[in-house]
Amino acid sequence: GTLPRSNNPVPQPKHVVPSTSITIPEFITGSNRVQWQQWIDRHSGHERLFYRSWPANTPTIALWVRTFSGDNHKLLTLFYESLTLFWPSQRYTELVIVLDDESPKEHTFGDFISAISPYPRVVYEPPPKHEHVFPGGICGRGPGYDRQQYSRLMSDTHTEADIIAHLDNDSVFTSVVTLSDLFDADMRPVAIGHQTPDDVPTERFTEATKLALGSRQIADFMSNFPILIKRELLPLVRSFLAERFNSTFEGAFAAIAGGGKLYSEFNIVLNYAWYFHHDEYAWHLQTVHSHSKRMYTNGTYNMPAIRVATHARGLESHQILKLIAIGYCYSCLALNNCLGMTTTDLQPLQSQTQLRHNVLFRWDVDAKQDGWKEEMYIGDKADPAALQRKHYTAIAEQGHVWPSHLRQLWARNVSYFHDSSIVPERKHCENYNARMYLRKVERARVEHSGLDALEARFALRACNQITSRDLTKIRGEYHNEIIRGTIVGAMTDILRQKGKLNPGVA
């Protein structure tokens, strides 16, 4: 059959460049260079992925990333790998990657990536004409941090898409993306954030957001990927800031960036949208239980929502592989198309999808920040288990085809994925450094807790990779007899069916 067309298919090059004609930049060396060559070889031809197109009234979507050549390993092993696995290109209009215009090295890198899958449209952005727009110096963050945020506030000049889906170069998709993860029934974009009650005036970004808008921060929206921004809002935000600071937009931005407080462009835009374009978004604002005061608890604005991507920052390579593997396993079980497994093989594992897919309900996989707990306010309709079932039912109804290189992805050494656990030292930022240390300790605790370890074992071994040794380890690791018995039983059944286990072992 022919490939069905979406209302907004991703642009592809008119002529596919043979992999032998693509030159990897000289500054990409060693194992990194080998990985890029492998990527080129795997994606040298177009895959015909069959899918059900989204409705004709779906807004056009541009995935948008600001990066630089020095982070090419993150872009490849974190963003590209998870993007091509979980978000088919037929369901976004274009991928825009923005690089510095004044650097020849960035032009070399941009020419390279624009010629290979996923064929981004590369934009070379010049710096502002006015000096001192990027002061740097906030908690050790330099002018590059300011430039990235400035660039995002200008992202409407880089695309004509209705919705700009902002991501970092270390964003990791952790589940198949469905339409309902991005838009509500009225096609309003979903905005996920953490509520900021007025009794926490010094919470992250609050002071800078109030400086920018003149009104207090309702929520911290730097808590989800992709962050969906309506393109038409950005020129309005720039005009608002220029008027408020009685200056140009560049002058207003410099005042915010130089205000000495940590700021977020997403918080500025989406808190602006809350105040002035409230009905144009579907708001999902999570209560934060460390705050003494609650804001929205009746279900109007605090209904939980699924997060389909996370931040790799702070995670080691094996944790990143685990997140991707878990998402694949849950998704392929819902789709009944796990690689190399028959329906008979999959049946005993179907019950395991009731286990909590934690990353869908957390931001940054950060144990310091609670997941959604709205069911204590609005009851069963906010039950994460029910939302998880709904998400995977939507995946099954939508359909999804895994790329042909999936076997190669699972065969990779865990060190393939960029180690994001090494956070740059930030001088004169004692509070920040202390917080990152506590976060790492807390993550380690959660990583070894029963349910999280169970999920890791389920993802990395249950999908046709179980050994008898794993069963022995499971018996020793898990103290919850019900959970332990269920997972061991399911794995034992699979092993017996595949002839890897003698009948008397378990």
Side-chain angles (χ1 to χ4, degrees):
T2 59
L3 179 67
R5 292 185 62 81
S6 167
N7 63 305
N8 55 350
V10 65
Q12 297 289 353
K14 294 181 180 179
H15 304 287
V16 178
V17 180
S19 60
T20 54
S21 302
I22 297 172
T23 301
I24 301 174
E26 292 182 358
F27 54 79
I28 299 178
T29 60
S31 61
N32 197 5
R33 188 180 187 87
V34 173
Q35 291 166 355
W36 276 106
Q37 186 61 60
Q38 292 171 341
W39 175 268
I40 293 168
D41 294 342
R42 292 203 316 266
H43 296 271
S44 58
H46 289 294
E47 292 189 302
R48 297 171 59 82
L49 301 181
F50 291 85
Y51 63 98
R52 297 181 183 92
S53 59
W54 285 351
N57 64 334
T58 303
T60 53
I61 304 169
L63 307 185
W64 192 98
V65 177
R66 189 47 153 107
T67 188
F68 75 110
S69 58
D71 271 354
N72 70 84
H73 192 239
K74 289 182 182 179
L75 184 73
L76 172 63
T77 66
L78 304 179
F79 179 63
Y80 272 15
E81 287 286 8
S82 63
L83 172 69
T84 56
L85 183 63
F86 290 123
W87 195 336
S89 62
Q90 296 93 337
R91 292 196 175 101
Y92 59 82
T93 307
E94 62 180 347
L95 168 61
V96 178
I97 292 183
V98 182
L99 304 170
D100 291 347
D101 182 51
E102 68 276 18
S103 168
K105 183 177 181 181
E106 298 309 303
H107 278 264
T108 299
F109 181 61
D111 292 346
F112 165 61
I113 61 174
S114 64
I116 64 175
S117 182
Y119 304 107
R121 186 166 67 81
V122 177
V123 174
Y124 301 102
E125 185 181 60
K129 295 180 180 179
H130 303 286
E131 296 182 0
H132 311 301
V133 176
F134 306 138
I138 297 178
C139 191
R141 300 189 179 192
Y145 174 79
D146 294 330
R147 185 168 184 176
Q148 176 179 261
Q149 304 222 22
Y150 176 92
S151 184
R152 284 173 173 149
L153 291 171
M154 298 293 296
S155 57
D156 60 299
T157 65
H158 306 148
T159 179
E160 295 294 327
D162 301 323
I163 300 295
I164 304 175
H166 287 268
L167 296 133
D168 281 356
N169 58 23
D170 61 350
S171 300
V172 177
F173 287 96
T174 57
S175 183
V176 172
V177 180
T178 73
L179 184 66
S180 57
D181 297 324
L182 307 175
F183 303 98
D184 70 0
D186 297 320
M187 289 298 175
R188 296 183 302 175
V190 168
I192 300 176
H194 290 112
Q195 296 181 30
T196 309
D198 56 13
D199 65 339
V200 284
T202 58
E203 187 79 353
R204 186 176 75 151
F205 306 130
T206 53
E207 295 171 282
T209 303
K210 186 172 184 179
L211 171 66
L213 300 180
S215 300
R216 74 177 187 85
Q217 177 174 294
I218 296 297
D220 179 354
F221 292 99
M222 187 56 218
S223 59
N224 181 51
F225 278 138
I227 298 175
L228 305 178
I229 302 296
K230 297 188 69 172
R231 180 180 178 275
E232 62 190 23
L233 282 183
L234 290 169
L236 300 177
V237 170
R238 294 196 297 271
S239 296
F240 175 89
L241 293 175
E243 182 177 350
R244 170 163 166 74
F245 285 85
N246 192 28
S247 179
T248 61
F249 166 64
E250 288 81 3
F253 182 88
I256 296 167
K261 303 296 182 182
L262 192 64
Y263 67 100
S264 165
E265 75 283 32
F266 300 129
N267 274 11
I268 292 172
V269 173
L270 287 175
N271 278 279
Y272 171 89
W274 173 273
Y275 284 114
F276 301 109
H277 297 266
H278 189 86
D279 294 337
E280 297 178 22
Y281 272 86
W283 304 101
H284 296 267
L285 309 183
Q286 182 176 330
T287 55
V288 179
H289 292 270
S290 59
H291 296 161
S292 59
K293 185 176 180 180
R294 306 285 182 265
M295 292 170 60
Y296 305 108
T297 58
N298 66 0
T300 302
Y301 299 123
N302 67 316
M303 192 66 183
I306 295 292
R307 292 174 167 96
V308 293
T310 191
H311 218 188
R313 184 177 302 165
L315 298 179
E316 297 175 11
S317 299
H318 73 91
Q319 294 171 306
I320 293 165
L321 174 59
K322 188 199 77 171
L323 289 177
I324 294 173
I326 289 173
Y328 162 71
C329 279
Y330 274 102
S331 298
C332 77
L333 285 171
L335 292 157
N336 201 32
N337 68 353
C338 295
L339 187 67
M341 299 186 75
T342 66
T343 301
T344 302
D345 295 333
L346 293 174
Q347 188 172 4
L349 290 173
Q350 296 293 344
S351 63
Q352 303 312 312
T353 57
Q354 66 184 304
L355 299 173
R356 182 73 54 83
H357 190 179
N358 279 335
V359 72
L360 298 181
F361 303 99
R362 290 185 181 275
W363 168 240
D364 235 2
V365 204
D366 186 353
K368 181 176 180 290
Q369 184 64 263
D370 289 336
W372 292 97
K373 292 185 177 179
E374 311 308 312
E375 57 191 312
M376 70 174 61
Y377 304 117
I378 52 181
D380 291 344
K381 64 181 180 180
D383 178 15
L387 294 170
Q388 181 174 313
R389 287 194 298 271
K390 183 178 179 181
H391 170 69
Y392 282 104
T393 297
I395 289 175
E397 293 174 349
Q398 172 178 282
H400 189 78
V401 178
W402 303 111
S404 60
H405 69 274
L406 184 60
R407 287 185 185 276
Q408 296 171 341
L409 180 64
W410 295 151
R412 292 195 176 284
N413 189 292
V414 69
S415 62
Y416 169 79
F417 297 94
H418 185 84
D419 185 353
S420 302
S421 65
I422 303 174
V423 179
E425 176 66 23
R426 305 188 189 280
K427 295 180 180 179
H428 312 298
C429 300
E430 290 81 4
N431 291 337
Y432 179 91
N433 291 330
R435 187 168 70 250
M436 292 305 296
Y437 173 76
L438 290 175
R439 176 183 293 185
K440 187 171 184 178
V441 171
E442 191 69 5
R443 276 193 177 134
R445 182 187 67 79
V446 172
E447 178 69 22
H448 292 93
S449 67
L451 183 57
D452 211 56
L454 178 63
E455 282 193 331
R457 192 70 59 200
F458 167 60
L460 296 176
R461 301 300 182 189
C463 291
N464 204 26
Q465 300 182 56
I466 314 167
T467 68
S468 300
R469 183 178 179 184
D470 292 322
L471 295 179
T472 302
K473 291 183 69 175
I474 289 170
R475 290 190 178 91
E477 287 178 4
Y478 307 128
H479 303 293
N480 185 317
E481 292 295 331
I482 296 177
I483 294 178
R484 186 178 67 185
T486 301
I487 194 72
V488 170
M491 288 183 171
T492 301
D493 288 342
I494 290 291
L495 283 171
R496 282 176 175 160
Q497 290 172 12
K498 293 192 168 296
K500 298 178 183 177
L501 185 68
N502 293 327
V505 170

